[in-house]
Amino acid sequence: MKHLLQLIFIPLLLGAAAGAGAAGEPIVLNDDCPPGFELTAGHCELRSLYQMYPSLQDAGVGGLKTGLPQWRDGFTPQQTDLGRYLFFDPVLSRDGTVSCATCHAPDKGFSDGLGRSVGINGSVLPRSAPTLWNVAFLNSFFWDGRATSLEGQMLGPLFDKHEMGSDPQLLLETLNGLPAYRQLFAQAYPEDFVAADAQIRLDQVYAAIAAFQVTLISLNSRYDQYAHGYADALTEPEIEGLNIFRSFVARCAECHTPPLFTNQQIAVLGTPEPVGMPFDPGAEVPLNEPTQRGGFKVPTLRNIELTAPYMHSGRFATLREAVAFYTGGRGHAVPEGEELKIHWHIWEPNLTDEELDRLVDFLKTLTDESFKPEPPRQLPSGLGLVHFEVADAGDINNGEEDHE
């Protein structure tokens, strides 16, 4: 059975030509920082209990009170809010049908619920959309790690002909042709809009979207409450799952290292592709390194409960299937004819069904959407919010039969 894919537009009356909101007044950018950030000298700076703890090198792998890696912040509230409007606005795509939020929907863990994302004209993409939670801490982006900054990453979807399909000239012409956006950019970058004929620049677009993305912080789950010392935050089965997760038998924490639950490295796991899909060489291509064939970035497990299906092409529909893969034996799913350099952490832990169940119990304690932002009630372009829905969420392989 194939997916029933629906693009749903919510009409909004904006009066965009005059830069007006629904009530007939100009849109004014927020001058407060998002939750989890403090306004300091006009800029938003992250505040988290994890900033009190020692670094990973000092705390050890899997430690509860482990400090955060370097992060990005320091944008103004106005730049952050402008990025929110841009993130949700399909005007950034060539045909006005796809926004950043189409593939990174807040209600789906900032993913899209698909094993393979869908771009303009219904184009099915080769990989799934990674979550955007906690991207402020990441040092590389995409499943194959080919981008080293948020600004570099966003060039891919914005200008790929199968994703949002725009190009730099078209994007600038579109935004500069909308008085509402010219007014908003002047609010976010007042020093650059002193002259009446000042134009929106690409670097301002990229920076604003990045400013919004770095505020997507998820560090207040029940696990975090437990890590900070509240012993009753987790149940006994969940604590058992945490202990399995941290054990040298399962070795989950060696790659999915707290507090981000990723070590940000490329790992060759040997996960199977859905039936009918060719083998994905992964990081081998951008790195030009044969030993990284089939290698992909270790994803964060934050909000993992919300981002099914799992792996780079959505091979596993449930968390239970995903964790069971790791106890199937080293390289057990490598396709015939492929000789992969499987990551040394992957071995044969021989976990029982009960232990796998406890792992899933623990992974669900990493869910935290307390800082989930609200989509704009109106968009400066005059377009409506776009929602991408999968009518048959059980069919994750875009028409292909599943297999064991």
mmCIF file of all heavy atoms in Angstrom, residues 15-38:
data_model
loop_
_atom_site.group_PDB
_atom_site.id
_atom_site.type_symbol
_atom_site.label_atom_id
_atom_site.label_comp_id
_atom_site.label_asym_id
_atom_site.label_seq_id
_atom_site.Cartn_x
_atom_site.Cartn_y
_atom_site.Cartn_z
ATOM 1 N N GLY A 15 -3.006 40.586 4.486
ATOM 2 C CA GLY A 15 -2.716 41.910 3.944
ATOM 3 C C GLY A 15 -1.221 42.083 3.778
ATOM 4 O O GLY A 15 -0.654 43.106 4.148
ATOM 5 N N ALA A 16 -0.545 41.057 3.216
ATOM 6 C CA ALA A 16 0.911 41.028 3.204
ATOM 7 C C ALA A 16 1.521 42.163 2.388
ATOM 8 O O ALA A 16 2.631 42.593 2.669
ATOM 9 C CB ALA A 16 1.401 39.687 2.657
ATOM 10 N N ALA A 17 0.812 42.629 1.377
ATOM 11 C CA ALA A 17 1.404 43.666 0.540
ATOM 12 C C ALA A 17 1.736 44.912 1.340
ATOM 13 O O ALA A 17 2.674 45.640 1.038
ATOM 14 C CB ALA A 17 0.456 44.016 -0.603
ATOM 15 N N ALA A 18 0.974 45.158 2.379
ATOM 16 C CA ALA A 18 1.242 46.326 3.208
ATOM 17 C C ALA A 18 2.041 45.973 4.450
ATOM 18 O O ALA A 18 2.300 46.826 5.285
ATOM 19 C CB ALA A 18 -0.075 46.963 3.625
ATOM 20 N N GLY A 19 2.422 44.680 4.574
ATOM 21 C CA GLY A 19 3.164 44.243 5.746
ATOM 22 C C GLY A 19 2.300 44.211 6.985
ATOM 23 O O GLY A 19 2.774 44.395 8.097
ATOM 24 N N ALA A 20 0.992 44.009 6.822
ATOM 25 C CA ALA A 20 0.076 44.106 7.944
ATOM 26 C C ALA A 20 -0.292 42.747 8.488
ATOM 27 O O ALA A 20 -0.286 41.753 7.775
ATOM 28 C CB ALA A 20 -1.197 44.837 7.509
ATOM 29 N N GLY A 21 -0.618 42.708 9.792
ATOM 30 C CA GLY A 21 -1.112 41.499 10.410
ATOM 31 C C GLY A 21 -2.599 41.358 10.162
ATOM 32 O O GLY A 21 -3.229 42.158 9.467
ATOM 33 N N ALA A 22 -3.176 40.292 10.773
ATOM 34 C CA ALA A 22 -4.584 39.997 10.548
ATOM 35 C C ALA A 22 -5.473 41.131 11.034
ATOM 36 O O ALA A 22 -6.570 41.351 10.521
ATOM 37 C CB ALA A 22 -4.955 38.689 11.253
ATOM 38 N N ALA A 23 -5.000 41.859 12.042
ATOM 39 C CA ALA A 23 -5.806 42.959 12.583
ATOM 40 C C ALA A 23 -5.547 44.267 11.856
ATOM 41 O O ALA A 23 -6.064 45.307 12.248
ATOM 42 C CB ALA A 23 -5.518 43.123 14.074
ATOM 43 N N GLY A 24 -4.756 44.232 10.787
ATOM 44 C CA GLY A 24 -4.488 45.417 10.015
ATOM 45 C C GLY A 24 -3.300 46.218 10.496
ATOM 46 O O GLY A 24 -3.038 47.305 9.994
ATOM 47 N N GLU A 25 -2.573 45.714 11.492
ATOM 48 C CA GLU A 25 -1.406 46.404 12.011
ATOM 49 C C GLU A 25 -0.140 45.665 11.581
ATOM 50 O O GLU A 25 -0.159 44.450 11.368
ATOM 51 C CB GLU A 25 -1.471 46.481 13.537
ATOM 52 C CG GLU A 25 -2.671 47.282 14.040
ATOM 53 C CD GLU A 25 -2.719 47.340 15.561
ATOM 54 O OE1 GLU A 25 -1.843 46.708 16.185
ATOM 55 O OE2 GLU A 25 -3.614 48.003 16.100
ATOM 56 N N PRO A 26 0.980 46.369 11.450
ATOM 57 C CA PRO A 26 2.230 45.723 11.045
ATOM 58 C C PRO A 26 2.641 44.647 12.040
ATOM 59 O O PRO A 26 2.403 44.748 13.240
ATOM 60 C CB PRO A 26 3.227 46.880 11.025
ATOM 61 C CG PRO A 26 2.394 48.104 10.875
ATOM 62 C CD PRO A 26 1.111 47.821 11.591
ATOM 63 N N ILE A 27 3.266 43.611 11.510
ATOM 64 C CA ILE A 27 3.817 42.553 12.362
ATOM 65 C C ILE A 27 5.029 43.116 13.095
ATOM 66 O O ILE A 27 5.907 43.722 12.491
ATOM 67 C CB ILE A 27 4.222 41.334 11.523
ATOM 68 C CG1 ILE A 27 3.002 40.766 10.798
ATOM 69 C CG2 ILE A 27 4.873 40.271 12.398
ATOM 70 C CD1 ILE A 27 3.341 39.670 9.807
ATOM 71 N N VAL A 28 5.069 42.919 14.388
ATOM 72 C CA VAL A 28 6.182 43.387 15.204
ATOM 73 C C VAL A 28 6.898 42.172 15.788
ATOM 74 O O VAL A 28 6.262 41.313 16.409
ATOM 75 C CB VAL A 28 5.704 44.315 16.342
ATOM 76 C CG1 VAL A 28 6.883 44.749 17.203
ATOM 77 C CG2 VAL A 28 4.984 45.533 15.757
ATOM 78 N N LEU A 29 8.194 42.110 15.583
ATOM 79 C CA LEU A 29 8.971 40.975 16.081
ATOM 80 C C LEU A 29 9.070 41.011 17.598
ATOM 81 O O LEU A 29 9.124 42.074 18.220
ATOM 82 C CB LEU A 29 10.367 40.979 15.467
ATOM 83 C CG LEU A 29 10.424 40.777 13.947
ATOM 84 C CD1 LEU A 29 11.858 40.929 13.448
ATOM 85 C CD2 LEU A 29 9.859 39.410 13.554
ATOM 86 N N ASN A 30 9.130 39.829 18.180
ATOM 87 C CA ASN A 30 9.211 39.689 19.630
ATOM 88 C C ASN A 30 10.505 40.285 20.155
ATOM 89 O O ASN A 30 11.575 40.078 19.579
ATOM 90 C CB ASN A 30 9.131 38.199 19.992
ATOM 91 C CG ASN A 30 8.736 37.966 21.427
ATOM 92 O OD1 ASN A 30 8.956 38.825 22.283
ATOM 93 N ND2 ASN A 30 8.167 36.813 21.707
ATOM 94 N N ASP A 31 10.435 41.022 21.268
ATOM 95 C CA ASP A 31 11.645 41.585 21.858
ATOM 96 C C ASP A 31 12.045 40.840 23.125
ATOM 97 O O ASP A 31 12.897 41.299 23.883
ATOM 98 C CB ASP A 31 11.489 43.078 22.143
ATOM 99 C CG ASP A 31 10.310 43.385 23.062
ATOM 100 O OD1 ASP A 31 9.656 42.436 23.552
ATOM 101 O OD2 ASP A 31 10.033 44.578 23.285
ATOM 102 N N ASP A 32 11.433 39.648 23.343
ATOM 103 C CA ASP A 32 11.818 38.780 24.454
ATOM 104 C C ASP A 32 12.497 37.530 23.921
ATOM 105 O O ASP A 32 12.168 37.050 22.828
ATOM 106 C CB ASP A 32 10.587 38.358 25.269
ATOM 107 C CG ASP A 32 9.968 39.533 26.011
ATOM 108 O OD1 ASP A 32 10.729 40.399 26.477
ATOM 109 O OD2 ASP A 32 8.722 39.572 26.113
ATOM 110 N N CYS A 33 13.411 36.974 24.710
ATOM 111 C CA CYS A 33 14.076 35.735 24.328
ATOM 112 C C CYS A 33 13.137 34.548 24.521
ATOM 113 O O CYS A 33 12.245 34.586 25.373
ATOM 114 C CB CYS A 33 15.336 35.527 25.168
ATOM 115 S SG CYS A 33 16.627 36.748 24.862
ATOM 116 N N PRO A 34 13.329 33.479 23.766
ATOM 117 C CA PRO A 34 12.520 32.266 23.963
ATOM 118 C C PRO A 34 12.815 31.631 25.316
ATOM 119 O O PRO A 34 13.823 31.951 25.959
ATOM 120 C CB PRO A 34 12.980 31.353 22.813
ATOM 121 C CG PRO A 34 13.657 32.244 21.836
ATOM 122 C CD PRO A 34 14.261 33.354 22.635
ATOM 123 N N PRO A 35 11.963 30.725 25.788
ATOM 124 C CA PRO A 35 12.215 30.029 27.049
ATOM 125 C C PRO A 35 13.564 29.321 27.027
ATOM 126 O O PRO A 35 13.979 28.785 25.999
ATOM 127 C CB PRO A 35 11.063 29.020 27.132
ATOM 128 C CG PRO A 35 9.986 29.602 26.294
ATOM 129 C CD PRO A 35 10.680 30.333 25.180
ATOM 130 N N GLY A 36 14.248 29.354 28.169
ATOM 131 C CA GLY A 36 15.561 28.736 28.253
ATOM 132 C C GLY A 36 16.705 29.667 27.918
ATOM 133 O O GLY A 36 17.871 29.279 28.003
ATOM 134 N N PHE A 37 16.376 30.899 27.539
ATOM 135 C CA PHE A 37 17.394 31.882 27.179
ATOM 136 C C PHE A 37 17.188 33.150 28.002
ATOM 137 O O PHE A 37 16.059 33.526 28.315
ATOM 138 C CB PHE A 37 17.346 32.211 25.688
ATOM 139 C CG PHE A 37 17.828 31.089 24.816
ATOM 140 C CD1 PHE A 37 17.013 29.993 24.559
ATOM 141 C CD2 PHE A 37 19.100 31.109 24.271
ATOM 142 C CE1 PHE A 37 17.458 28.951 23.771
ATOM 143 C CE2 PHE A 37 19.553 30.071 23.481
ATOM 144 C CZ PHE A 37 18.733 28.977 23.229
ATOM 145 N N GLU A 38 18.289 33.814 28.305
ATOM 146 C CA GLU A 38 18.244 35.054 29.066
ATOM 147 C C GLU A 38 18.743 36.201 28.195
ATOM 148 O O GLU A 38 19.764 36.071 27.504
ATOM 149 C CB GLU A 38 19.114 34.939 30.324
ATOM 150 C CG GLU A 38 19.109 36.194 31.189
ATOM 151 C CD GLU A 38 19.997 36.044 32.410
ATOM 152 O OE1 GLU A 38 21.010 35.323 32.341
ATOM 153 O OE2 GLU A 38 19.680 36.668 33.429
#
